[in-house]
């Protein structure tokens, strides 16, 4: 091979939409705004969004990430991540005299409300999702006695309910659409009276990013998904790419994780990013590819996105004063 000039036929397909969804954008801005308004430290219970770079960047600005509410010192401000939390976590925060900012994605909150409503009507709720994922823990916590986790179609056989005429399914918002429907179909075979949630509970961003990857994967020899290992929706994009016909698909956090060997015999590379990934990381991947002759970039557009969510209302209040008042109250009680 002589030099690194763009060879004929070498191209990059860039998925649209990709990257930040409205819920992630809102959560990340909420941490930045809280730091600006109230100063460091702002404690965040669980990674605000599942992206390594975002977490590292916010840590540098003064955010402190904890796994348990108990790790947050009394009288501090704690923020709940985009994935949502169980009601018990709100109680823990109140008991620890913490001022809270809830950055739960509004689409996740909608699923929580449905869980509460169906539990109130005494339905058995079959929650489709991945065991141990924060979103699943949060949703399950809304009605633990009524919710059974179903982790994929292979889980359906062991599901038991009290009354097959009072069963509904809900799902983690970031799953693959196909995988969820496969599980729903298997559940419907077992429970013909299974009710579906009132609206499409797989979030618009999950759906759109997968649509774009399906179109792209059909034409790409190699698909690079920018995203972190613990990001459910990013991992799904890799699976969707392979199912769509891509010969290979890999998940990378940063451009320097791409291996030269992946380009062997490749003329078309598809690039996309998960819903918690800043665009700068995608730009670095495109730069890496262009240095290796992949300079021709075509956009593969699957949908228009214009959804935005307003910031958490707590950012309009003086939370430092509220936190201090909570501590003062306790001292006065003693």
């Amino acid at each position: 091979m002589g030099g690194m000039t763009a060879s004929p036929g070498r191209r990059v397909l860039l998925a649209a939409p990709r990257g930040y969804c409205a819920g992630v954008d809102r959560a990340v801005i909420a941490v930045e705004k809280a730091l600006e308004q109230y100063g460091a430290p702002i404690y965040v219970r669980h990674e605000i969004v599942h992206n390594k770079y975002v977490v590292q960047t916010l840590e540098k600005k003064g955010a402190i990430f904890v796994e348990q509410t108990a790790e947050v010192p009394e009288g501090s401000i704690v923020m709940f991540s985009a994935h949502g939390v169980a009601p018990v976590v709100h109680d823990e925060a109140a008991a620890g005299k913490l001022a809270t900012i809830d950055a739960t994605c509004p689409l996740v909150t909608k699923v929580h409300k449905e869980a509460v409503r169906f539990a109130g009507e005494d339905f058995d709720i079959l929650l489709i999702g991945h065991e141990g994922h924060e979103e699943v823990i949060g949703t399950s916590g809304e009605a633990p006695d009524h919710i059974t986790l179903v982790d994929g179609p292979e889980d359906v056989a062991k599901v038991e309910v009290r009354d097959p005429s009072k069963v509904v399914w809900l799902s983690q918002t970031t799953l693959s659409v196909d995988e969820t429907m496969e599980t729903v179909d298997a559940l419907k075979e077992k429970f013909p009276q299974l009710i579906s949630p009132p609206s499409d509970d797989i979030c618009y961003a999950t759906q759109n990013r997968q649509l774009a990857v399906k179109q792209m994967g059909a034409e790409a020899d190699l698909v690079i998904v920018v995203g972190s290992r613990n990001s459910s929706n990013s991992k799904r994009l890799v699976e969707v790419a392979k199912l769509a016909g891509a010969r290979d698909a890999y998940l990378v956090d940063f451009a320097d994780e791409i291996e030269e060997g992946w380009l062997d015999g490749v003329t078309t590379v598809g690039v996309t990013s998960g819903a918690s990934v800043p665009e700068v990381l995608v730009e670095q991947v495109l730069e890496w590819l262009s240095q290796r002759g992949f300079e021709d970039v075509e956009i593969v557009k699957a949908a228009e996105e214009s959804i935005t969510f307003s910031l958490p209302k707590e950012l309009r209040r003086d939370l430092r004063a509220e936190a201090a008042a909570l501590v003062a109250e306790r001292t006065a009680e003693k």
Side-chain angles (χ1 to χ4, degrees):
M1 259 179 60
M4 272 308 184
T5 50
S7 342
R10 273 195 206 169
R11 59 179 184 150
V12 175
L13 301 178
L14 182 60
R18 64 180 173 279
Y20 273 17
C21 59
V24 164
D25 196 44
R26 169 182 186 263
V28 175
I29 291 172
V31 181
E32 293 173 338
K33 281 256 187 290
L35 285 163
E36 271 170 41
Q37 273 173 240
Y38 309 124
I42 296 290
Y43 289 85
V44 182
R45 189 187 177 283
H46 192 70
E47 294 190 349
I48 187 72
V49 296
H50 286 153
N51 184 268
K52 218 189 236 177
Y53 174 83
V54 171
V55 168
Q56 289 166 355
T57 307
L58 292 170
E59 276 176 336
K60 288 188 189 119
K61 294 182 179 174
I64 298 175
F65 293 90
V66 298
E67 284 307 314
Q68 302 302 331
T69 318
E71 297 171 57
V72 182
E74 182 178 272
S76 304
I77 297 176
V78 66
M79 186 175 294
F80 301 135
S81 78
H83 316 98
V85 295
V88 61
V89 176
H90 287 278
D91 300 341
E92 289 168 6
K97 304 290 182 230
L98 307 173
T100 58
I101 302 173
D102 191 351
T104 303
C105 171
L107 300 179
V108 173
T109 301
K110 182 171 77 99
V111 179
H112 279 231
K113 287 187 171 143
E114 284 170 12
V116 171
R117 180 165 70 86
F118 283 113
E121 294 169 18
D122 205 28
F123 274 75
D124 278 335
I125 300 164
L126 306 179
L127 176 61
I128 301 169
H130 297 305
E131 191 160 3
H133 189 279
E134 285 65 41
E135 186 186 330
V136 164
I137 295 168
T139 303
S140 303
E142 291 288 356
D145 303 340
H146 287 82
I147 294 179
T148 303
L149 181 65
V150 184
D151 196 341
E154 58 288 342
D155 244 10
V156 171
K158 58 173 195 269
V159 175
E160 288 174 24
V161 300
R162 294 166 301 158
D163 175 357
S165 71
K166 292 201 75 172
V167 191
V168 63
W169 69 268
L170 295 175
S171 95
Q172 181 182 330
T173 59
T174 52
L175 299 178
S176 105
V177 181
D178 299 335
E179 174 192 29
T180 301
M181 292 329 291
E182 201 186 322
T183 306
V184 170
D185 292 343
L187 286 170
K188 278 188 174 151
E189 256 174 58
K190 188 167 179 179
F191 308 112
Q193 291 165 284
L194 179 73
I195 293 176
S196 293
S199 54
D200 177 8
D201 265 0
I202 289 182
C203 93
Y204 75 92
T206 298
Q207 181 115 0
N208 291 345
R209 278 151 195 66
Q210 288 177 17
L211 260 177
V213 165
K214 273 185 186 169
Q215 291 177 17
M216 194 174 76
E219 291 185 61
D221 306 306
L222 165 70
V223 171
I224 294 170
V225 178
V226 185
S228 291
R229 298 274 172 279
N230 62 340
S231 160
S232 229
N233 82 86
S234 302
K235 286 203 297 216
R236 273 349 110 218
L237 290 174
V238 174
E239 289 167 19
V240 171
K242 286 181 178 165
L243 288 170
R247 198 177 67 199
D248 275 320
Y250 297 98
L251 184 62
V252 299
D253 258 299
F254 303 102
D256 62 14
E257 293 174 14
I258 304 170
E259 293 176 25
E260 302 271 354
W262 297 350
L263 295 176
D264 289 350
V266 167
T267 55
T268 302
V269 180
V271 175
T272 190
S273 57
S276 45
V277 178
E279 187 63 11
V280 60
L281 301 181
V282 175
E283 284 160 12
Q284 289 165 3
V285 167
L286 296 176
E287 176 57 28
W288 189 97
L289 287 167
S290 84
Q291 286 167 6
R292 286 152 185 85
F294 290 82
E295 290 168 16
D296 177 16
V297 178
E298 292 170 35
I299 306 281
V300 176
K301 188 151 204 162
E304 287 288 347
E305 283 182 359
S306 55
I307 294 173
T308 56
F309 295 130
S310 56
L311 285 171
K313 59 186 181 308
E314 299 92 345
L315 290 168
R316 300 199 273 275
R317 308 207 304 255
D318 185 353
L319 288 188
R320 286 278 176 226
E322 282 179 37
L326 289 169
V327 177
E329 218 172 276
R330 165 179 288 188
T331 319
E333 285 163 15
K334 281 177 186 163

